[in-house]
Amino acid sequence: SQQGEEDPQALSIQEGENATMNCSYKTSINNLQWYRQNSGRGLVHLILIRSNEREKHSGRLRVTLDTSKKSSSLLITASRAADTASYFCATDRGGGATNKLIFGTGTLLAVQP
Amino acid sequence: DAGITQSPRHKVTETGTPVTLRCHQTENHRYMYWYRQDPGHGLRLIHYSYGVKDTDKGEVSDGYSVSRSKTEDFLLTLESATSSQTSVYFCAISDRDLGVYEQYFGPGTRLTVT
């Protein structure tokens, strides 16, 4: 079963605008990760936020985590046409040593030039 | 793609035939994973490995088997391919023992079962 659910399923914006994607999950986590997938390619890791962190930045990316609401958001500022891709959240529930992730169904972002 | 290759990249096969997909890594990471990606389902874990000869099932393991005889290679076998196994298959690696909690993905294999 899916742990993460992204919202919205699809998002279309103009270049230069900010894009916000949300992720909700169901169980407690060790960390939450965001990945990008360009059409026809493998997933690329963007950022990891641990359960004891509330906000993290990486370049134009800002991730927040609210463990009380079991939700996370990914903000891409000043978007570019090259940001067009699908974005997935993935949760690591920790425990054991398997490092398994459970992925959501993704948000398809289209940035219009 | 972080030293991960998958072969073949594309395959068309007939229902009932066995198919083996290969994942090869040059990163010496301990953990390897096989996922399938289908529209509306995101990525779903098929099988994973936490060391040579150590494997376990994921959430959609029926009809699939895996083997890992060397650190660098993780094989996924469809014992008797069915049309429902038409999908894009991704391999990934990680190594929390080395502080690598994120996963690195291969380029994918597009499999069509006719």
Side-chain angles (χ1 to χ4, degrees):
Chain A
S1 62
Q2 298 301 128
Q3 163 80 315
E5 296 289 338
E6 285 92 340
D7 169 55
Q9 290 187 328
L11 179 62
S12 181
I13 60 174
Q14 296 295 124
E15 213 166 20
E17 294 180 340
N18 295 342
T20 299
M21 288 158 269
N22 303 296
C23 170
S24 60
Y25 57 92
K26 298 174 184 174
T27 65
S28 61
I29 61 171
N30 182 48
N31 65 72
L32 184 144
Q33 304 176 29
W34 285 90
Y35 290 78
R36 183 188 73 229
Q37 183 180 35
N38 291 92
S39 181
R41 306 289 295 272
L43 278 72
V44 174
H45 179 260
L46 294 176
I47 195 166
L48 179 153
I49 186 165
R50 301 186 189 284
S51 60
N52 61 354
E53 298 175 310
R54 292 297 168 259
E55 188 171 313
K56 201 162 184 180
H57 297 255
S58 176
R60 294 184 297 112
L61 305 180
R62 172 178 170 253
V63 169
T64 61
L65 178 65
D66 186 334
T67 54
S68 67
K69 294 181 180 178
K70 293 187 172 56
S71 67
S72 174
S73 67
L74 171 67
L75 168 67
I76 304 174
T77 60
S79 62
R80 306 166 181 168
D83 294 327
T84 294
S86 291
Y87 292 82
F88 296 88
C89 68
T91 52
D92 179 352
R93 287 185 283 181
T98 59
N99 214 160
K100 289 192 292 183
L101 296 178
I102 300 179
F103 286 82
T105 52
T107 292
L108 178 59
L109 173 65
V111 181
Q112 309 298 331
Chain B
D1 288 321
I4 308 169
T5 56
Q6 293 184 230
S7 59
R9 293 293 313 280
H10 301 271
K11 186 168 182 68
V12 180
T13 192
E14 293 185 349
T15 297
T17 59
V19 176
T20 295
L21 309 183
R22 180 183 184 235
C23 177
H24 178 79
Q25 61 145 330
T26 58
E27 306 298 318
N28 202 35
H29 281 6
R30 178 180 172 188
Y31 301 92
M32 299 186 74
Y33 312 83
W34 276 107
Y35 294 91
R36 59 178 290 174
Q37 184 175 34
D38 304 288
H41 290 279
L43 272 78
R44 292 181 291 174
L45 182 64
I46 304 171
H47 280 279
Y48 61 97
S49 170
Y50 45 97
V52 173
K53 292 185 169 54
D54 292 322
T55 65
D56 206 346
K57 297 178 179 179
E59 62 177 308
V60 289
S61 59
D62 287 348
Y64 302 94
S65 62
V66 291
S67 66
R68 191 167 177 202
S69 58
K70 298 185 290 185
T71 298
E72 57 266 35
D73 290 325
F74 192 31
L75 304 181
L76 176 71
T77 297
L78 287 65
E79 294 137 11
S80 177
T82 67
S83 59
S84 64
Q85 293 176 312
T86 291
S87 187
V88 181
Y89 292 85
F90 288 99
C91 173
I93 64 174
S94 71
D95 203 326
R96 64 188 291 155
D97 298 342
L98 300 177
V100 179
Y101 288 85
E102 61 270 26
Q103 293 185 9
Y104 294 94
F105 283 78
T109 293
R110 183 172 295 276
L111 176 68
T112 302
V113 183
T114 61

